[in-house]
Amino acid sequence: MTVATPNDPLLMLRQLRCIRDDRVLFSELALDLAPGEIVQVTGPNGSGKTTLLRIVSGLSLDFEGEIVWSGIAVEQNRLAYQQDLLFIGHQVGIKAALTPEENLRAVMGMHGQFKKEDIHDALSRVDLYGFEDVPCYQLSAGQQRRVALARLHLSRQRLWILDEPFTAIDRAGVKALESLLICHAQRGGMVMLTTHHELGIQYQGLKRLDLAELLSASDHPFAVEAV
Ligand SMILES: Nc1ncnc2c1ncn2[C@@H]1O[C@H](COP(=O)(O)OP(=O)(O)OP(=O)(O)O)[C@@H](O)[C@H]1O
């Protein structure tokens, strides 16, 4: 019997290939992500970063290759996989007519019951103390993004998939989010994110997956570089 160690990858992407409008976005894409690791997906506009995150999150099934979670192909284990992942897209994905508290309750409802204090605590951790009951259409762009990011403070999922999470966030918010990502990884979580923002973190579990480099080398096996 093989015994899994903490450094064994939980997420494995194997030979992913994706074509949109007759254009190969990526091919031969392989990635291992183990507990404690963060992978930053980089590449110019239109290179396929969002498309890759949507594929890995199970939102898009239009690809070739295999996604393996915890040793089992996701297509045979989709429910368990979905329960272990939290996806936050580059659109904030909140309802403008609802308050931050109502938005969090609605979106986290599928992941369990949360007490009012837990939701208020999550909102205060993203500096929205006092805004819990304000309709989201009255909040700034950065505050709306913070409502979406408050989900991370309630999350019990091991894998966070975040598309441009730093958009509209001020400098203090960026630092706080970077610390949160490291904290999640250090507790055995994993993060896959896209950002055009230069990450200001020194963390040995940080990797980079550059889609432009991958495409230019796609005749060759691809390895993710540690940074
Ligand atoms: N459903 C779709 N049908 C056709 N083309 C699509 C579809 N989804 C994405 N594309 C195309 O795939 C390419 C990659 O888009 P994607 O949004 O993944 O890029 P990105 O790297 O995230 O870009 P950005 O940095 O601008 O956010 C784009 O040219 C886009 O038009």
Side-chain angles (χ1 to χ4, degrees), residues 10-68:
L10 270 182
L11 178 70
M12 295 190 286
L13 310 182
R14 292 285 175 263
Q15 294 295 315
L16 293 196
R17 177 176 167 85
C18 174
I19 298 175
R20 293 288 183 270
D21 284 337
D22 297 329
R23 188 162 72 89
V24 176
L25 292 181
F26 45 82
S27 181
E28 297 180 47
L29 189 153
L31 171 74
D32 285 352
L33 201 60
E37 291 187 320
I38 298 172
V39 62
Q40 179 185 9
V41 181
T42 59
N45 292 139
S47 57
K49 302 180 297 298
T50 293
T51 305
L52 174 63
L53 263 53
R54 288 176 59 81
I55 287 171
V56 177
S57 304
L59 295 171
S60 170
L61 300 178
D62 187 7
F63 69 99
E64 292 168 32
E66 190 176 46
I67 302 172
V68 176

Side-chain angles (χ1 to χ4, degrees), residues 69 77-85:
W69 176 251
N77 195 27
R78 197 163 293 283
L79 189 61
Y81 179 58
Q82 293 297 335
Q83 285 172 344
D84 271 343
L85 85 83

